[in-house]
Amino acid sequence: MHNATPIENQTSPLKITLCFSIKDKVGALEDCLNAIKASQVSLTRIESRPSRTNDWDYDFFVDFNADDSEKVSAVVESLRSHTKNVTIIGSDASTDNSVPWFPRKLTDLDSFAEKVLEMGEELSSDHPGAHDPVYRARRAEITRIAKTYRTGQGVPEIDYTNEENETWGKVFRKLTAMYPTHACREHQYVFPLLVQNCGYNDQGIPQLDQISRFLKDCTGFTLRPVMGLLSSRDFLNAFAFRVFYSTQYIRHGSKPYYTPEPDVCHELLGHVPLFADPDFADFSQEIGLASLGASDEDISKLATIFWFTVEFGLCRQEGEIRAFGAGLLSSFGELEYSLSDKPELRPFEPAKTAIQKYPITEFQPVYFVAESFKDAQEKVRDFAASMNRPFSVRYNALTQTVEVLDSKEKVVRFAKSIKDDMKTLTTVLESLT
């Protein structure tokens, strides 16, 4: 699980994005840049876009690093006489009108490439492969490959060894024998498609690139290789763009049915099948959108909701309880345990789920049961509306960007796009009658 980790302390310079609008007049941008320069900060990026307002303005996005919140405030004050609608997106929420920095477009995820809490090659002393130099070197090799990936590239292929493929085969056979009686119907429905289209079998580990293309065709989700453990915020933020950070290394062959951290078996057998389901994809993205600009406290709550749903969730289907969480669907021991009479089952209610304590090194004593993925999505959306965040966001699939809905003009523009979609829907319905 990548996101069930404490929020790390910020020790590096604050990464700041300022968003503001200016009139189309001679010297307007130059005035703004001179104001920023006078504050003695260096810009790392500047972009312009047509304004989302009804006026003939331009929206500008500038990135810079600041030593502290006072420096950020100074830059904002220097801009206010030249701009309007200044929004601060930074990593220090103590600054007036600011929220934690979050990615606005897909390529912003590249900034997370080397921002990991633990490298995939770093193993705890009790890890089965901790004292195996060959295994450690192999993990380091795969981690270095993940480091080179950037948005828009194909996911690098891994030439898995015979031993790695044998370990995968053991896990694959053990778990697939349990899916017909334990997995939710959506997981069972998609799995044969992965066999047909992505090379899922017990002979070798499938490649992420082929799987990612398949998911893209199904729901728009894609896989991105990761070097190691990410913070909760970075991991969840990617879901807003329908991106899942996936490991490519596999557990140690001496214990094929046990792993203390996510590996390629967990990702491909547990997570991937449901990312091809439209309702589950929508639900997962809802958590990601809620995480953008959220406070540390709310990130912790969303991470807990993610833990009890995407990782260890149960659902009710045709009068029976089935598993949909990847942590269950990739662990035959806990998969069996979760559907027994031993754990406590509670209905999924985000406000209560978000504050439930949980162990990470043993089976869960409590599981939450969702009525459906759509129902869970609506509940998470309602929960997000109660969070302390001064704006709402929407994902624009055409531009693969996140739009901040923080003004009347932007909301009106969004409403007009919905109105156009409703006209199309009405036309289709009339043609079917």
Side-chain angles (χ1 to χ4, degrees):
M1 160 91 170
H2 298 278
N3 78 314
T5 58
I7 304 300
E8 69 273 30
N9 294 325
Q10 295 288 344
T11 57
S12 56
L14 306 179
K15 183 176 182 179
I16 306 298
T17 297
L18 291 184
C19 308
F20 57 85
S21 301
I22 63 174
K23 291 288 186 181
D24 181 16
K25 65 178 183 179
V26 177
L29 178 58
E30 184 178 0
D31 290 342
C32 293
L33 295 181
N34 286 336
I36 295 174
K37 183 179 179 180
S39 301
Q40 297 182 330
V41 298
S42 298
L43 298 182
T44 57
R45 181 177 65 172
I46 180 169
E47 295 181 359
S48 60
R49 295 288 186 274
S51 178
R52 295 289 177 181
T53 69
N54 291 327
D55 299 324
W56 291 94
D57 297 340
Y58 292 98
D59 289 341
F60 280 84
F61 302 88
V62 295
D63 291 353
F64 63 92
N65 294 325
D67 295 331
D68 50 46
S69 58
E70 287 77 13
K71 179 67 72 173
V72 178
S73 297
V75 174
V76 172
E77 287 303 317
S78 67
L79 278 173
R80 285 210 164 120
S81 60
H82 306 286
T83 67
K84 60 181 181 178
N85 300 327
V86 180
T87 301
I88 310 168
I89 302 174
S91 56
D92 183 356
S94 65
T95 306
D96 291 342
N97 301 321
S98 73
V99 296
W101 184 91
F102 61 87
R104 292 185 300 102
K105 58 183 183 178
L106 192 59
T107 53
D108 285 346
L109 300 185
D110 290 342
S111 65
F112 303 161
E114 300 181 35
K115 189 181 173 185
V116 293
L117 303 181
E118 294 179 16
M119 298 289 287
E121 62 196 81
E122 297 172 356
L123 306 180
S124 59
S125 60
D126 60 346
H127 191 287
H131 305 294
D132 182 344
V134 175
Y135 179 76
R136 293 180 69 97
R138 177 60 167 163
R139 290 269 295 235
E141 176 189 359
I142 293 176
T143 297
R144 286 193 298 271
I145 293 173
K147 182 179 180 179
T148 66
Y149 179 83
R150 291 296 181 271
T151 298
Q153 299 175 348
V155 180
E157 289 197 359
I158 304 298
D159 185 14
Y160 291 105
T161 66
N162 290 335
E163 181 179 359
E164 289 169 336
N165 286 324
E166 288 174 4
T167 299
W168 162 270
K170 292 176 183 178
V171 177
F172 185 93
R173 289 187 290 272
K174 185 81 172 180
L175 288 171
T176 53
M178 298 182 67
Y179 289 158
T181 54
H182 290 71
C184 65
R185 59 172 171 260
E186 291 84 356
H187 188 280
Q188 293 187 56
Y189 175 76
V190 170
F191 207 87
L193 299 178
L194 293 169
V195 172
Q196 297 169 14
N197 296 280
C198 301
Y200 270 49
N201 58 59
D202 63 355
Q203 298 302 304
I205 304 173
Q207 295 293 335
L208 257 60
D209 191 60
Q210 186 176 5
I211 299 167
S212 186
R213 291 197 302 270
F214 172 78
L215 292 178
K216 180 74 172 178
D217 289 342
C218 293
T219 62
F221 252 89
T222 57
L223 304 181
R224 181 182 178 118
V226 66
M227 292 171 60
L229 186 69
L230 293 170
S231 72
S232 301
R233 183 180 298 281
D234 291 348
F235 182 67
L236 293 180
N237 279 183
F239 277 85
F241 298 85
R242 299 201 171 211
V243 171
F244 176 68
Y245 283 101
S246 175
T247 55
Q248 289 181 285
Y249 44 76
I250 195 167
R251 61 196 65 184
H252 195 263
S254 65
K255 291 188 176 181
Y257 304 125
Y258 167 76
T259 178
E261 89 269 91
D263 72 334
V264 73
C265 296
H266 172 79
E267 321 286 36
L268 302 191
L269 297 175
H271 280 296
V272 160
L274 286 175
F275 288 140
D277 177 77
D279 287 346
F280 186 82
D282 290 346
F283 166 69
S284 300
Q285 185 179 33
E286 199 67 45
I287 296 178
L289 290 169
S291 75
L292 299 177
S295 66
D296 287 353
E297 179 183 0
D298 285 333
I299 286 290
S300 180
K301 291 179 178 179
L302 290 169
T304 302
I305 290 174
F306 185 95
W307 177 269
F308 281 114
T309 54
V310 180
E311 288 291 349
F312 291 96
L314 299 175
C315 60
R316 195 179 310 277
Q317 295 183 337
E318 299 177 354
E320 296 184 340
I321 302 298
R322 293 297 182 101
F324 71 86
L328 301 176
L329 294 168
S330 60
S331 169
F332 77 93
E334 189 159 5
L335 181 57
E336 186 175 54
Y337 163 84
S338 67
L339 299 187
S340 70
D341 58 1
K342 297 178 181 179
E344 178 185 353
L345 304 186
R346 300 177 186 174
F348 175 62
E349 299 176 30
K352 295 180 179 179
T353 303
I355 58 176
Q356 175 65 38
K357 302 299 182 182
Y358 56 85
I360 60 175
T361 58
E362 58 189 61
F363 292 170
Q364 303 300 304
V366 176
Y367 296 98
F368 290 88
V369 182
E371 294 302 318
S372 69
F373 297 146
K374 263 309 175 198
D375 179 68
Q377 179 191 2
E378 290 302 320
K379 289 180 176 178
V380 168
R381 182 174 293 167
D382 291 341
F383 176 80
S386 70
M387 288 166 39
N388 184 26
R389 188 174 63 170
F391 56 81
S392 295
V393 297
R394 69 179 289 258
Y395 178 66
N396 187 325
L398 296 178
T399 59
Q400 295 184 306
T401 58
V402 168
E403 297 175 358
V404 178
L405 304 176
D406 59 353
S407 68
K408 179 181 177 181
E409 291 84 355
K410 293 179 182 179
V411 173
V412 169
R413 189 182 183 93
F414 178 35
K416 288 180 178 179
S417 69
I418 296 175
K419 183 179 179 181
D420 291 339
D421 289 341
M422 289 300 297
K423 287 181 179 179
T424 302
L425 177 61
T426 302
T427 301
V428 172
L429 290 174
E430 289 176 347
S431 68
L432 294 176
T433 57

